[in-house]
Each structure stands twice: as structure tokens, then as C-alpha cells.
């Protein structure tokens, strides 16, 4: 049975909060609207995180922000602000409403870009003024927004506890390039990873596991599609359905990253000295920067938590 009440994040076997409700503002930086894992992560955050905000990554004419706002309103989380992030022109990375010849948003050069960065920084600074403890930034898309904030408001580097999905060290489907979130905007990834003191990365080699590849046969998808499911679940089910016409499955990269950002015990991290290439590929290097990277994942525990967080 679906329950729309939101409450502090908990482990599947405990009622004690992982994060004190007054402890942190959690900011999801998400390219919602393509692979359904972003929507799943936002559903979980809306149901479990009391102090939440959303910034949209790789925007496309404001459509990601509108989708995030629609989902949050359906979940009675009108309290959650949604900030439209920088538009990278990723028209092909948005599933719905993709009219042919749609114009690109003018956020890519010149005065328009400067104005948009200024607005983004003002919005995020305003959001963070009341946060008295480190802010948990959950990076689920390209790092353009984070890089803009760190470049123009550098003291934010001392306030943000960043957990980012992306990067690889040993295994990836295409070893000639960085993983998707870094490859989409390698300059921003390089800037952010160098400016932050010790970012945490949930590596693509762990999020690409077949164990967290959701297919149409999964019980989670069937539950979302039930006739009695709430409107927000139907929206998520419809998004899964659109995705499955393109790909046979959806890897739950971003819900796993969210679980790590909430200090849930499914992802184990270790500190590695990392050299960051100009193309944002990562390399072990004894003279590199210290970065916390994922080492192993309790996939069974994570899946139990994810299913409970979405469907309970």
C-alpha cells in the first residue's frame, strides 16, 4: 500500500533517523526526465527527506524543472523549491514533449549565460542562507551547476558535502571517455572535483551493476502501474513505460547515490589519490587529489530499501 507521508530517512530494519531532521538541507542536482532513475530518486527523497530542494541539471528549456515541480506537487511536497539549472541544450536527453526542431534555450554563451549563472547563484545562495550546518549536495547529473556555484561563490566549497554519481577507475562500457555525467561537461567536472576538499563519488562501475537494472518485469514497476496507485506513482510508471520503448532496462544509479548521501550503509567508500584528466577521466596516482570513491555495494540491502521507500 502506498503511503504519501514524508519522514526522516531510515534503514529498512530501523525506525531511527539516519539524519537528524534539523541537521541538513539536501539538494538534489538532477537531470530528471530521461532515464527513470532520477525520478525514482526524487520520489524517495520526497518521501524521506524533510528539508529538500531540487536543482535541475542539463536543463532543456525549463522542462526538467516543470517535471520536478509536477511530481513534487503530486506528492504534496509544495514546500520543496525547484531551481532551474543551466541549460546545456540536451534536447535528446528528455523523453516527453520533444517536438521536432525545438529551439535550444539561450544559456550556452555570452550575456545570456552570464545572466543565467548569476541567477542560479542567487537562487542557491538564498536557499542556503538559513542552513547552519553542511549542506548535502547530491549530484545526479552533469556537474555544471555545482561548478558555477563553486566558481562564483567559492566559500560554498566549505559548506557543501557533495556526493556525486559518476566517474570510473577500472571498468566502464567505453574506456576511451569519462562516464556520462562527467563526459557531458568535462570542464565543469574537472573544476568541481578540484575545488571541493574531499568529494565522494559513487562510481559508474558500481552503479552499472546488472543487479540494479530495473526491467518491465520488476515488482516495483508493477506496483507503480496498479489502478489504485496514487497520481505520482502513475506518473513514474508512465515514465518507465516511455523509457522501456527505448531501452530494455533502467539502472538505479541515482537512488544508490542518494542512499550514500543520506549515510545509509549500502555503499562502502575509501579514499584514493586521484588524478583528474582534462577529459574528466579519473586515474589512480600517488600524487593525485584525495577523493572518496565507492569500493563495494550491498546491492540486496539497497534494493530492499529502495522498494520499501517507493512502495510502502
Amino acid at each position: 500500500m502506498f503511503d504519501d507521508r514524508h519522514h526522516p530517512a531510515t534503514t529498512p530494519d530501523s525506525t531511527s533517523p539516519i539524519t537528524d531532521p534539523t541537521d541538513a538541507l539536501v539538494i538534489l542536482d538532477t537531470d530528471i526526465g530521461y532515464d527513470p532513475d532520477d525520478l525514482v530518486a526524487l520520489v524517495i527523497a520526497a518521501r524521506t527527506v524533510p528539508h529538500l530542494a531540487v536543482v535541475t541539471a542539463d536543463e532543456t528549456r525549463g522542462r526538467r524543472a516543470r517535471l520536478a515541480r509536477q511530481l513534487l506537487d503530486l506528492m504534496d511536497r509544495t514546500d520543496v523549491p525547484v531551481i532551474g539549472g543551466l541549460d546545456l541544450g540536451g534536447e535528446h536527453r528528455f523523453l516527453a514533449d520533444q517536438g521536432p526542431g525545438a529551439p535550444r534555450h539561450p544559456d550556452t554563451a555570452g550575456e545570456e549565460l552570464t545572466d543565467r549563472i548569476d541567477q542560479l547563484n542567487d537562487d542557491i545562495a538564498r536557499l542556503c542562507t538559513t542552513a547552519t550546518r553542511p549542506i548535502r549536495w547530491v549530484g545526479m547529473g552533469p556537474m555544471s551547476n555545482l561548478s558555477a556555484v563553486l566558481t562564483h561563490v567559492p566559500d560554498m566549497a566549505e559548506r557543501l558535502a557533495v556526493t556525486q554519481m559518476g566517474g570510473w577507475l577500472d571498468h566502464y562500457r567505453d574506456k576511451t571517455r569519462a562516464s556520462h555525467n562527467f563526459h557531458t561537461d568535462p570542464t565543469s567536472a574537472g573544476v568541481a572535483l578540484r575545488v571541493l576538499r574531499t568529494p565522494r563519488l559513487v562510481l559508474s562501475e558500481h552503479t552499472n551493476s546488472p543487479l540494479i537494472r530495473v526491467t518491465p518485469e520488476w515488482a516495483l514497476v508493477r506496483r507503480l502501474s496498479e489502478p489504485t496507485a496514487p497520481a505520482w506513482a502513475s506518473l513514474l510508471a508512465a515514465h518507465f513505460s516511455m523509457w522501456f520503448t527505448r531501452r530494455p532496462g533502467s539502472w538505479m544509479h541515482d537512488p544508490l547515490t542518494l542512499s550514500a548521501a543520506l549515510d545509509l550503509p549500502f555503499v562502502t567508500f575509501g579514499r584514493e589519490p586521484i588524478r583528474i584528466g582534462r577529459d574528466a577521466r579519473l586515474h589512480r596516482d600517488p600524487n593525485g587529489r584525495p577523493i572518496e570513491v565507492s569500493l563495494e555495494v550491498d546491492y540486496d540491502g539497497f534494493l530492499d530499501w529502495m522498494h520499501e521507500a517507493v512502495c510502502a
Side-chain angles (χ1 to χ4, degrees):
M1 182 175 182
F2 288 94
D3 179 353
D4 287 339
R5 294 172 296 177
H6 61 275
H7 47 274
T10 62
T11 63
D13 299 317
S14 171
T15 58
S16 61
I18 293 300
T19 302
D20 185 318
T22 63
D23 180 46
L25 170 67
V26 176
I27 301 176
L28 298 191
D29 185 24
T30 171
D31 53 350
I32 189 174
Y34 191 49
D35 191 324
D37 67 318
D38 289 85
L39 269 172
V40 174
L42 181 54
V43 164
I44 294 172
R47 303 190 84 202
T48 61
V49 176
H51 303 296
L52 177 66
V54 174
V55 182
T56 54
D58 190 17
E59 248 305 349
T60 165
R61 296 182 290 118
R63 294 184 295 177
R64 300 194 198 280
R66 289 193 292 274
L67 176 60
R69 182 75 273 155
Q70 178 187 8
L71 180 66
L72 288 163
D73 289 350
L74 289 173
M75 301 186 75
D76 295 325
R77 291 304 306 267
T78 56
D79 60 301
V80 177
V82 176
I83 298 172
L86 298 181
D87 193 320
L88 303 183
E91 295 296 323
H92 64 290
R93 295 188 292 271
F94 192 84
L95 285 181
D97 185 27
Q98 297 189 82
R104 290 180 62 171
H105 193 284
D107 275 358
T108 54
E111 293 182 2
E112 296 90 350
L113 177 59
T114 300
D115 291 345
R116 188 68 197 95
I117 290 175
D118 288 345
Q119 183 63 55
L120 174 68
N121 289 323
D122 287 347
D123 290 342
I124 292 178
R126 191 177 307 113
L127 182 67
C128 297
T129 52
T130 59
T132 59
R133 300 188 183 184
I135 303 154
R136 300 191 179 209
W137 182 286
V138 190
M140 307 192 309
M143 301 181 77
S144 312
N145 296 326
L146 180 58
S147 175
V149 170
L150 296 175
T151 301
H152 295 82
V153 192
D155 61 290
M156 289 297 292
E158 300 173 356
R159 303 194 63 200
L160 298 178
V162 175
T163 304
Q164 172 72 38
M165 187 269 135
W168 63 270
L169 289 171
D170 299 312
H171 307 290
Y172 191 60
R173 63 178 182 269
D174 182 355
K175 289 195 173 184
T176 67
R177 46 167 271 189
S179 59
H180 170 76
N181 285 343
F182 293 1
H183 174 75
T184 302
D185 187 353
T187 300
S188 289
V191 168
L193 293 176
R194 289 176 172 87
V195 170
L196 293 166
R197 287 180 174 176
T198 311
R200 290 200 301 179
L201 300 181
V202 182
L203 298 174
S204 295
E205 54 208 74
H206 293 120
T207 65
N208 281 338
S209 169
L211 296 175
I212 56 173
R213 176 175 174 265
V214 173
T215 64
E217 297 77 27
W218 274 49
L220 174 69
V221 177
R222 293 198 303 270
R223 287 290 304 279
L224 294 168
S225 303
E226 290 175 354
T228 57
W232 63 261
S234 299
L235 176 62
L236 179 52
H239 206 83
F240 267 115
S241 180
M242 285 188 288
W243 180 258
F244 291 145
T245 65
R246 295 182 171 215
R247 307 280 178 85
S250 173
W251 281 262
M252 294 294 104
H253 310 273
D254 296 327
L256 184 63
T257 302
L258 174 62
S259 78
L262 296 178
D263 291 337
L264 290 161
F266 312 123
V267 181
T268 301
F269 290 91
R271 185 170 296 195
E272 293 266 14
I274 301 295
R275 174 171 53 86
I276 306 160
R278 186 170 295 179
D279 63 353
R281 277 188 286 177
L282 308 180
H283 311 270
R284 289 186 181 86
D285 187 325
N287 298 313
R289 299 183 58 81
I291 294 180
E292 297 281 340
V293 298
S294 56
L295 300 178
E296 59 183 19
V297 176
D298 172 11
Y299 292 110
D300 289 339
F302 163 71
L303 289 173
D304 288 344
W305 169 79
M306 182 181 73
H307 191 278
E308 180 75 9
V310 173
C311 296

